[in-house]
Amino acid sequence: MGPVRGSKKKRKIEKKPDENASASSEMEGSVDWWDYLSRRMNGRQSPSKGLDKFKSVFRISRKTFSYICSLVKEDMTAKPGSFTFSNGKPLSFEDQVAVALRRLSSGESLVTVGDSFGLHRSTVSQLTWRFVEAMEERGLHHLQWPSTNAEMTEIKSKFEKIQGLPNCCGVIDTTHVMMCLPSADPARKVWLDHEKNHSMVLQAIVDPEMRFRDIITGWPGKIDDWLMFQSSNFYKLCDKGERLNGEKFELSKGSEIREYIIGDLGYPLLPYLVIPYKGKELPEISAEFNKRHSATRLVASRALARLKEMWKIIQGVMWRPDKHKLPRIILVCCLLHNIVIDLEDDDAQDEMPLSYDHDPGYRHRICGSFDIDGVQLRDKLALYLSGKLPP
């Protein structure tokens, strides 16, 4: 995973719990807390209807909720402090996680979330931040670059099935998280992007199942895609030959290609980063390559659109966020996004956005830089996909 500006450097070694065991054990005691909580939220739900409503409130299944609880329980319960509803009843641990997840998934204000649960806005804020800190510590194993040849081989195979691109390891893309900053904020100009919005940018590399494999965030939205990429640890590892250095793919006898990722024209053409051909009146081979390249890149667009649709706290415009905490909130939303995929949460995955436009109003900025080895790689791929590469 790439660096997250504003994150704590010291990390605990997370333990990886048994997902099925944690889900089943937590579920037994969770009916009572959810029945009570759902009644507080609407005043009339029966237990059975409350269970049906769970997905609409938290955007995830009960199984996924229980697994998330198992990840953060040790860290959240170890911190001092108690929290109560407006009627004086203490919040259970599940209540606390529920409040945090509701805040992240709904994107509603602290006041609105607090009113729906019968809590003060400061309690919602504290619980959300406790949850974010715990997820940072315990959930990072859900966002990693593939560590085995078998895992990478499977990823490359699935990418090839999309539009035929061989040996592709990921798709890179960026999205903006917009902010409403106070007029007195001395750093307002720093965060003003090219579209005259105040924003923070998230750059992600995505696998064919829309899972985030590497991210970097925390930079002002005005930074160009290629500059952000060059600041990333992923770029440094590639330049040193320590990433995208796995098995090569033989296109034809005597012609092979290395591992690579793909991106749009906002990135440079590099030996390990392939972008489309620029121009409208392109030769047939180049036009066909661009068509396949674009269709494959949709994986990243879908992933980012789904991230914002499910975790609405980073959709729309955030009201005066703490710019040191926001990168960590974005990271945790990415972790939650991956957990839904890893646990094959069908309830959550049903909620796919109708549009893949995760960055409305933002125009692509073109880099134009290229490396000769990148040119040769792209040309080989174009010939291979057209069937005109010599045997």
Side-chain angles (χ1 to χ4, degrees):
M1 185 187 73
V4 179
R5 290 160 62 89
S7 65
K8 295 182 288 185
K9 295 182 178 179
K10 186 176 180 180
R11 299 276 184 202
K12 296 178 183 176
I13 299 175
E14 74 281 347
K15 60 181 181 180
K16 194 168 183 178
D18 183 327
E19 296 170 10
N20 293 327
S22 63
S24 60
S25 62
E26 294 278 351
M27 284 290 287
E28 293 176 2
S30 62
V31 175
D32 290 340
W33 77 263
W34 169 237
D35 182 28
Y36 176 79
L37 195 61
S38 63
R39 288 176 186 275
R40 285 194 62 84
M41 294 180 72
N42 51 58
R44 57 183 176 81
Q45 286 278 27
S46 68
S48 61
K49 290 181 180 178
L51 289 171
D52 292 338
K53 186 179 172 62
F54 190 93
K55 173 189 169 185
S56 66
V57 174
F58 301 112
R59 315 295 295 277
I60 57 176
S61 68
R62 296 291 295 268
K63 173 188 173 184
T64 301
F65 180 87
S66 296
Y67 174 67
I68 291 170
C69 285
S70 75
L71 285 180
V72 300
K73 187 170 186 177
E74 182 178 344
D75 284 23
M76 287 187 67
T77 56
K79 293 182 178 179
S82 59
F83 303 94
T84 59
F85 291 107
S86 55
N87 64 358
K89 184 180 185 299
L91 272 76
S92 68
F93 165 68
E94 289 86 357
D95 291 333
Q96 295 177 38
V97 175
V99 170
L101 285 175
R102 179 62 182 172
R103 166 73 172 138
L104 296 176
S105 64
S106 71
E108 295 171 345
S109 69
L110 295 171
V111 172
T112 300
V113 175
D115 288 346
S116 68
F117 286 100
L119 299 169
H120 191 271
R121 58 175 293 177
S122 63
T123 302
V124 177
S125 177
Q126 290 179 63
L127 290 175
T128 303
W129 189 242
R130 283 191 175 205
F131 176 80
V132 166
E133 289 185 313
M135 276 298 299
E136 269 191 310
E137 299 289 354
R138 300 298 182 178
L140 279 180
H141 57 283
H142 283 282
L143 203 165
Q144 292 182 337
W145 189 253
S147 58
T148 65
N149 288 334
E151 190 178 7
M152 183 57 83
T153 298
E154 183 179 4
I155 285 173
K156 291 189 285 189
S157 175
K158 289 179 178 179
F159 267 125
E160 188 168 4
K161 288 178 181 177
I162 297 174
Q163 281 292 326
L165 287 174
N167 230 32
C168 178
C169 300
V171 184
I172 189 169
D173 202 356
T174 60
T175 196
H176 293 79
V177 177
M178 292 189 287
M179 306 178 288
C180 178
L181 302 181
S183 56
D185 189 335
R188 274 174 61 89
K189 289 186 178 179
V190 173
W191 298 96
L192 191 65
D193 61 36
H194 299 292
E195 304 301 334
K196 307 303 179 184
N197 301 314
H198 295 100
S199 66
M200 183 178 290
V201 70
L202 162 67
Q203 182 171 269
I205 299 175
V206 180
D207 75 13
E209 295 181 319
M210 296 188 291
R211 186 182 288 104
F212 297 119
R213 289 294 186 168
D214 188 279
I215 71 164
I216 177 172
T217 190
W219 291 91
K222 65 184 177 183
I223 188 172
D224 290 317
D225 293 352
W226 65 88
L227 291 176
M228 189 169 186
F229 178 62
Q230 289 174 358
S231 75
S232 69
N233 189 50
F234 188 91
Y235 171 85
K236 295 178 177 65
L237 290 173
C238 289
D239 256 20
K240 291 190 293 185
E242 297 176 9
R243 183 146 294 175
L244 297 176
N245 60 347
E247 294 182 4
K248 294 183 178 181
F249 180 86
E250 186 176 27
L251 299 175
S252 63
K253 189 173 181 180
S255 179
E256 59 183 17
I257 57 170
R258 61 171 294 165
E259 293 180 339
Y260 60 92
I261 60 174
I262 63 173
D264 60 29
L265 290 170
Y267 294 95
L269 178 58
L270 299 173
Y272 47 82
L273 173 52
V274 179
I275 63 173
Y277 290 97
K278 183 183 176 184
K280 295 182 179 179
E281 301 296 328
L282 293 171
E284 181 182 351
I285 291 177
S286 301
E288 176 63 22
F289 173 82
N290 279 7
K291 180 180 176 181
R292 292 171 179 260
H293 188 280
S294 177
T296 307
R297 289 206 320 274
L298 278 178
V299 171
S301 298
R302 293 175 66 197
L304 291 169
R306 180 176 164 186
L307 172 73
K308 287 185 169 181
E309 180 64 25
M310 280 205 64
W311 308 105
K312 291 181 183 292
I313 193 170
I314 58 174
Q315 185 187 64
V317 182
M318 295 190 71
W319 176 256
R320 300 184 177 184
D322 183 324
K323 293 181 290 294
H324 297 288
K325 290 183 176 181
L326 181 54
R328 298 164 68 181
I329 291 173
I330 294 171
L331 165 62
V332 167
C333 289
C334 291
L335 293 175
L336 292 168
H337 169 98
N338 281 5
I339 286 172
V340 166
I341 296 172
D342 291 342
L343 267 61
E344 299 179 349
D345 189 338
D346 294 332
D347 286 349
Q349 295 190 67
D350 285 343
E351 304 216 1
M352 286 297 298
L354 297 177
S355 171
Y356 300 154
D357 187 3
H358 55 84
D359 235 3
Y362 282 88
R363 294 166 292 180
H364 288 294
R365 295 171 62 82
I366 296 175
C367 174
S369 175
F370 66 90
D371 182 286
I372 189 62
D373 289 336
V375 173
Q376 292 173 357
L377 170 58
R378 183 175 63 184
D379 288 346
K380 283 183 179 181
L381 283 169
L383 284 170
Y384 172 79
L385 293 173
S386 70
K388 297 180 179 180
L389 194 68

